[in-house]
Amino acid sequence: MKRILKYTLMILAVGVVGLSVQAWAQPEVAEVATAAVEAGAAAAAVAQDVTPEDIDLGESLMDFVNQSGISGIISDWRVLVMLIISCLLLYLAIVKQFEPLLLLPIAFGMLLTNLPGAGMYHAELFADGHVHWTNADGVGFDRIGGLIDFLYLGVKLGIYPCLIFVGVGAMTDFGPLIANPKSLLLGAAAQFGIFATFLGATAMGFTPAESGSIGIIGGADGPTAIYLTSKLAPQLLGPIAVAAYSYMALVPVIQPPIMKALTTKAERKIVMKQLRTVSKTEKIIFPIAMTMIISLLLPSAAPLIGCLMLGNLMKECGVVERLSKTVQNELMNIVTIFLGISVGATATAENFLNWQTIGIMVLGVTAFCMGTGSGVLLAKLMNVFSKEKINPLIGSAGVSAVPMAARVSQKVGQAENPSNFLLMHAMGPNVSGVIGSAVAAGILLAFLG
């Protein structure tokens, strides 16, 4: 730290000395110019060409200070608040390890975009939900666009979320869902929070498009939330992305109290029998069939569902192992970095620090809680009509925070009955929640897009 401070002071000292020497040299230059004038007209013309304008040291220093980022922070206190928030998110990602793979780049993107004068992201190029390839003065995107402006095109054009879904599909095992198709209902029930919050947000004064984007937070699926918001309400992308990934990271904190409040001790002790073995043929047919069925019924969901099932087919078919590994690792990691940085960059002080953002955060957690509770309650209802009892705890895994929500179901169930293993049973609703949130996004996009 001392070395950094020393070098900084040295640089400032060199700058001040340079400006001072240049200013002190002015009288000498003026004398030379006068002598040249007396020598002749031609020499005078040359002297006038090389004579610099008078330099005011104080004015130069003031210009330097006004152009610094510190001046930008002093002129707008909200910038400092956003920098503090970004540092807090970095702390949560690094120290607390809350969804660090995405929270860290999002937080750093927020840090970059709120540095005064950095010029990495220009919100005016994406005003009114459209990409403006030229500004008001006719200057092209390629000349004024910063680094994050170009990265953000992948979000705005819907590229990054779809590529992430390819990676998610390649890392997902739909075996538990195929073995127990009833778990698809639990994943669907967990999407109730999306549509209930949509109605609530509309009643609070948000536009239908904004309400749909806010409601999708309840699906606990970050890429889906980003994809839908970029289409319907891009001005809310920053707060919605931060809310979606924050609540995904807080699944182990938010869900257990709801699960315990809606179930009895006896229900939490229910032991479910082992799932049947799913054949390779079934696992290959499933992604193809799901893509065709959902895309024919709901074409607007085809980009997300198609990419999800493509990744899963790569994994299950066994003939493109190299592609499957690339999608799961290199591609997934690269896109995650670009997505996180560019999404975080949309969280500018103007877009983030307002009452609207607070409303989004409240509605988002409400949607998430309602989705958790809906899955649990449907599982309890299914037990009324089913001979084989379902442990209601697995219903909470219907939100698509894979595999964290399934692990929470396992942990809460094992706390009541140490010999109970619910993880694979909970994975059924969990992976069906991924499909359910994509379908919900498709429905909202079809009606509101």
Side-chain angles (χ1 to χ4, degrees):
M1 188 63 187
K2 290 182 178 179
R3 287 186 177 181
I4 296 174
L5 181 60
K6 181 176 69 175
Y7 294 148
T8 303
L9 291 175
M10 288 174 62
I11 293 172
L12 289 175
V14 169
V16 171
V17 170
L19 290 172
S20 301
V21 170
Q22 192 171 6
W24 290 335
Q26 293 307 306
E28 297 179 5
V29 173
E31 292 177 2
V32 172
T34 302
V37 170
E38 294 174 353
V46 174
Q48 288 175 359
D49 289 339
V50 300
T51 301
E53 299 178 356
D54 292 340
I55 293 179
D56 188 328
L57 178 59
E59 183 179 349
S60 299
L61 290 175
M62 287 301 298
D63 289 340
F64 174 78
V65 172
N66 290 332
Q67 293 173 9
S68 69
I70 297 175
S71 176
I73 293 176
I74 294 174
S75 62
D76 189 353
W77 60 269
R78 296 177 302 172
V79 174
L80 179 60
V81 174
M82 290 304 299
L83 293 176
I84 293 173
I85 292 174
S86 63
C87 290
L88 176 61
L89 293 177
L90 286 171
Y91 170 80
L92 294 176
I94 298 171
V95 179
K96 297 299 182 180
Q97 298 184 10
F98 285 173
E99 203 70 27
L101 293 180
L102 263 166
L103 196 57
L104 190 147
I106 285 176
F108 205 82
M110 187 184 298
L111 178 70
L112 290 175
T113 197
N114 286 288
L115 291 173
M120 293 188 180
Y121 175 73
H122 300 82
E124 63 272 15
L125 294 176
F126 305 97
D128 302 323
H130 305 289
V131 179
H132 299 277
W133 299 108
T134 57
N135 65 5
D137 299 325
V139 182
F141 190 103
D142 58 330
R143 292 188 59 188
I144 61 176
L147 171 64
I148 298 178
D149 292 319
F150 287 96
L151 293 180
Y152 182 63
L153 289 174
V155 177
K156 184 60 189 155
L157 301 177
I159 298 172
Y160 296 154
C162 291
L163 290 179
I164 283 187
F165 257 55
V166 176
V168 170
M171 294 187 290
T172 300
D173 181 11
F174 287 107
L177 174 58
I178 300 172
N180 184 17
K182 291 187 295 184
S183 60
L184 187 63
L185 297 175
L186 299 177
Q191 312 312 313
F192 173 76
I194 294 175
F195 297 100
T197 304
F198 165 76
L199 297 176
T202 304
M204 289 179 61
F206 288 95
T207 66
E210 292 173 342
S211 299
S213 299
I214 295 170
I216 203 68
I217 297 174
D221 190 338
T224 301
I226 292 170
Y227 180 81
L228 184 65
T229 305
S230 66
K231 301 292 185 182
L232 296 181
Q235 71 276 12
L236 301 181
L237 187 57
I240 287 178
V242 172
Y245 282 107
S246 297
Y247 297 143
M248 284 174 61
L250 292 174
V251 163
V253 178
I254 298 174
Q255 283 197 324
I258 300 172
M259 297 160 66
K260 292 178 181 178
L262 297 178
T263 57
T264 64
K265 194 175 185 68
E267 288 175 329
R268 294 195 291 271
K269 288 183 176 181
I270 293 176
V271 177
M272 300 177 66
K273 69 176 184 179
Q274 186 175 358
L275 295 172
R276 70 175 179 86
T277 302
V278 179
S279 67
K280 182 177 180 179
T281 302
E282 290 177 290
K283 290 186 175 183
I284 293 175
I285 294 175
F286 180 82
I288 300 173
M290 288 298 292
T291 301
M292 295 177 64
I293 293 171
I294 294 177
S295 298
L296 290 173
L297 294 175
L298 193 63
S300 55
L304 292 177
I305 290 295
C307 289
L308 179 70
M309 296 305 167
L310 170 62
N312 186 251
L313 183 60
M314 288 180 178
K315 170 179 175 287
E316 301 297 351
C317 69
V319 297
V320 288
E321 185 176 355
R322 187 173 69 182
L323 296 181
S324 178
K325 288 182 178 179
T326 299
V327 167
Q328 293 180 47
N329 297 288
E330 289 83 0
L331 179 63
M332 188 73 165
N333 293 335
I334 292 170
V335 175
T336 297
I337 295 171
F338 289 171
L339 176 68
I341 293 175
S342 53
V343 165
T346 63
T348 59
E350 293 79 9
N351 292 337
F352 203 86
L353 293 180
N354 50 58
W355 289 107
Q356 188 180 60
T357 299
I358 296 176
I360 290 172
M361 301 297 286
V362 173
L363 287 169
V365 73
T366 302
F368 183 74
C369 292
M370 292 180 68
T372 299
S374 299
V376 174
L377 292 176
L378 181 62
K380 290 166 67 75
L381 180 62
M382 291 173 66
N383 281 340
V384 176
F385 304 99
S386 177
K387 293 181 180 180
E388 296 181 3
K389 298 300 180 182
I390 299 173
N391 191 314
L393 294 178
I394 70 171
S396 66
V399 296
S400 59
V402 181
M404 193 181 301
R407 290 174 180 168
V408 171
S409 298
Q410 162 74 10
K411 184 178 180 180
V412 175
Q414 210 161 39
E416 300 290 347
N417 182 0
S419 62
N420 200 1
F421 295 93
L422 298 174
L423 183 60
M424 293 309 298
H425 297 283
M427 283 301 297
N430 207 186
V431 297
S432 70
V434 179
I435 300 174
S437 63
V439 170
I443 293 173
L444 292 171
L445 192 57
F447 281 94
L448 305 174

